[in-house]
Amino acid sequence: MRTRPTLHWTPPPDLPPGTTDLRPVVDALGAGGVLVLTGAGISTESGIPAYRGEGGSLSRHTPMTYQDFTASPQARRRYWARSHLGWRTFGRARPNAGHRAVATFARHGLLSGVITQNVDGLHQAAGAEGVVELHGSLARVRCLGCEAITSRHELAERLEAANAGFRPVAAGINPDGDADLSDDQVAGFRVAPCADCGGILKPDVVFFGETVPAQRIEHCRELVRSASSLLVLGSSLTVMSGLRFVRLAAQSDKRVLIINRDPTRGDPLAHTRVSLPLGTALSTVADTLNLSADGRPAPCSGP
């Protein structure tokens, strides 16, 4: 029987409230060896909405699942029409203060690694290296037939040529680059097949209902085991793909720290949850550690 993925989580009433005290985060980063795990919340200040929380995209749409995408040509037409339009906006997004701060921490040797649940590539655009893309990247396209990997920019050019004049107005853009369009708006959109074998093209991302590759999960587990602490940024941890690492960190006696405006599914396992906007919080942490966003020591403000 096909099951739908877990999309929503209701916080229990006994969760501890968030704090505005950033000292535990400063102390953890100052000690080094911190593994960072990021979710959609770190990209909201770049104009990409989160899935959950106030204004989250799940309040107005259900993301495409792997099962629907592979089973239905109509679902693939709807996905690629919406995604093609969304890519025009999504591809123009730029790193914000949160991404730059994470890159700064990494350049100063304070991090043991970065795992992101996001598919937007903004950590790398900010200068972070060796980022583990848990759910893949929208910048790549994979053929489900011959497994060829091609550039999203190349596919965008092919879709533009096949759908001249496709300029619908979207109701919104979602964290996976999907634009909100009606069935009437996507009717007649032409989907491009693989240029090598004519097979079905899929973005090189893990859809809801799809399994993260086992090798990638094991790599992330090793990163958790070798870290001194785990810092979660902008994730509700609703889905198991991220929550499993919080559980592993707690089981391994690693300190878990979370910065997220809303309660998360990992709060019961966390040492602290800071309820502040990520850009502001991480910039404050960088300033406290006397680091600047471009990787150079910040000027001292004292005498």
Side-chain angles (χ1 to χ4, degrees):
M1 181 177 66
R2 183 181 301 173
T3 59
R4 304 294 292 185
T6 298
L7 299 179
H8 300 280
W9 167 76
T10 301
D14 57 347
L15 274 184
T19 180
T20 58
D21 182 11
L22 287 166
R23 177 53 58 180
V25 178
V26 171
D27 291 344
L29 285 165
V34 176
L35 175 63
V36 167
L37 170 65
T38 69
I42 198 169
S43 293
T44 57
E45 293 174 39
S46 294
I48 300 174
Y51 282 111
R52 300 167 182 86
E54 185 177 354
S57 67
L58 289 182
S59 64
R60 64 177 185 271
H61 94 301
T62 298
M64 177 65 67
T65 67
Y66 179 78
Q67 292 80 7
D68 290 341
F69 184 88
T70 55
S72 169
Q74 291 76 20
R76 291 193 291 275
R77 177 184 295 109
R78 183 171 65 254
Y79 173 81
W80 280 118
R82 293 160 60 113
S83 185
H84 179 55
L85 181 62
W87 177 252
R88 295 170 181 166
T89 299
F90 198 89
R92 292 194 296 267
R94 294 294 177 262
N96 61 52
H99 300 110
R100 292 193 295 272
V102 170
T104 296
F105 301 148
R107 281 194 295 269
H108 281 82
L110 306 183
L111 306 183
S112 63
V114 178
I115 302 170
T116 185
Q117 296 173 281
N118 300 338
V119 296
D120 53 35
L122 292 178
H123 280 300
Q124 295 91 323
E129 299 180 352
V131 177
V132 179
E133 295 174 314
L134 188 62
H135 296 154
S137 171
L138 276 179
R140 301 184 299 268
V141 180
R142 179 186 297 274
C143 174
L144 297 181
C146 68
E147 294 293 322
I149 299 291
T150 53
S151 149
R152 180 60 181 267
H153 290 288
E154 177 184 332
L155 176 61
E157 291 178 355
R158 294 177 60 203
L159 290 175
E160 287 284 356
N163 297 278
F166 181 71
R167 294 291 186 276
V169 177
I173 304 296
N174 303 311
D176 53 5
D178 186 21
D180 289 327
L181 297 176
S182 68
D183 289 343
D184 288 342
Q185 288 175 302
V186 306
F189 187 86
R190 298 181 63 187
V191 175
C194 174
D196 292 337
C197 74
I200 295 172
L201 292 179
K202 173 183 173 293
D204 192 24
V205 301
V206 178
F207 280 1
F208 282 91
E210 190 176 2
T211 302
V212 178
Q215 185 177 8
R216 194 179 302 167
I217 292 175
E218 185 54 35
H219 176 50
C220 292
R221 284 175 173 153
E222 287 300 321
L223 289 175
V224 174
R225 294 185 187 107
S226 63
S228 61
S229 58
L230 177 64
L231 175 60
V232 180
L233 304 175
S235 176
S236 68
L237 300 169
T238 294
V239 296
M240 188 55 63
S241 64
L243 181 63
R244 74 181 76 192
F245 303 124
V246 171
R247 289 178 172 174
L248 177 59
Q251 292 165 2
S252 305
D253 294 324
K254 313 285 186 180
R255 179 166 287 196
V256 176
L257 306 107
I258 300 173
I259 305 180
N260 197 65
R261 291 293 297 269
D262 299 315
T264 83
R265 200 173 170 192
D267 283 9
L269 302 173
H271 172 73
T272 186
R273 177 178 62 85
V274 178
S275 180
L276 287 173
L278 270 169
T280 299
L282 294 178
S283 296
T284 299
V285 170
D287 289 344
T288 303
L289 291 168
N290 198 33
L291 308 176
S292 66
D294 60 3
R296 298 190 299 270
C300 295
S301 56

